[in-house]
Amino acid sequence: MNSFHNFVTGRPMQLAMREWRIMGKWRAPLSAVAFGALLGVTGPFGSQATLGPAVRYPFWMVIALVGFGAAAVAERVLPSASPNRRSAARIIAIAAASAVPMTFFVAWAMGVVRPGRTFSPVQLLGLFPYVALVQLLIARILSPNDPPSPAAPVVAALGSVEQPAAAAYPAEFMAKLPAALRRDILALEAEDHYVRVHTRHGSALVLMRLADAAAIIDPRLGLRVHRSWWVAKDGVRALERTPGRTIARLADDTAVPISRTYLPAARTFWTD
């Protein structure tokens, strides 16, 4: 029992979770390569007959890579009305949104591999459902998996249940901050491909996506309140209603907007 407990709560499990997150960063490009190769083999939508292998494989590889990029952009831009980011409605929305620019890209790519091939507006409309079908498969592959859930409490020999560990920020996240800013975190703010970490003692930029940071931080420590903001539970002084919106007033007097998507969860989180 002790050895099992040490595995669940000790360093081996932490290392396994870290490896899981590292592999997740490579999932999209590796999936794009594999998906493009599969499309090259199957040759869908008549490409098996019209394109030779030397053209068909690179063609579908490029289509898959650009398609994954378009779906990734749509996934970040489209708001999520539900905590379940793998819902069917959201995957369909991502596929439809990314299929619009991809239809024009596919039409252009077809003109490259088959010189003289052009698409009229009506033909573009006919091409859209096929592109949307491919983007639907890509969106399903790209949809984030739920991170590994913490191990269930271990039942000791006498039948008692071990209390869950206190919430703490991940060591790999805190290591990215200057030593003086590794405490009293108030909020995280998205800035392009960076996250600005606001603390009571100043702020610093960390190279990572806000969604990735929020995913590895214990949910007991804070809450995503906006596409660009994650706020610490102890960092909020009050929720304030202003004309047309609600804001979280931080301990340093910063006003953080709360979007309608996250407002019900925010009210529950800071009133419990």
Side-chain angles (χ1 to χ4, degrees), residues 125-272:
L125 289 176
L127 180 63
F128 176 81
Y130 298 102
V131 176
L133 177 60
V134 174
Q135 289 303 113
L136 182 63
L137 296 174
I138 290 175
R140 179 60 187 85
I141 295 172
L142 196 61
S143 60
N145 290 318
D146 296 331
S149 57
V154 179
V155 180
L158 296 179
S160 61
V161 178
E162 188 172 295
Q163 295 299 318
Y169 289 94
E172 61 267 34
F173 174 76
M174 300 301 285
K176 297 176 182 291
L177 295 173
L181 303 182
R182 294 176 185 174
R183 56 193 177 93
D184 300 327
I185 292 177
L186 299 177
L188 309 181
E189 180 184 8
E191 292 189 10
D192 294 327
H193 298 293
Y194 292 82
V195 168
R196 180 169 295 279
V197 181
H198 297 269
T199 76
R200 293 177 183 267
H201 316 286
S203 67
L205 284 175
V206 172
L207 180 58
M208 68 187 310
R209 293 174 51 190
L210 179 62
D212 295 334
I216 65 173
I217 295 176
D218 192 313
R220 292 174 293 175
L221 291 173
L223 184 71
R224 186 86 173 263
V225 298
H226 189 273
R227 185 196 309 168
S228 302
W229 285 92
W230 177 96
V231 177
K233 185 175 182 65
D234 296 335
V236 174
R237 191 172 67 201
L239 299 184
E240 300 177 1
R241 179 69 180 175
T242 62
R245 65 173 184 169
T246 300
I247 64 171
R249 182 69 65 181
L250 302 186
D252 65 353
D253 209 40
T254 299
V256 175
I258 302 177
S259 65
R260 293 182 180 178
T261 300
Y262 301 99
L263 184 56
R267 285 173 173 165
T268 301
F269 191 71
W270 276 287
T271 55
D272 284 348

Side-chain angles (χ1 to χ4, degrees), residues 61-86:
M61 285 285 189
V62 172
I63 294 297
L65 287 169
V66 177
F68 268 76
V73 171
E75 196 276 333
R76 294 193 63 177
V77 171
L78 291 177
S80 177
S82 168
N84 182 11
R85 298 174 69 83
R86 301 188 70 184

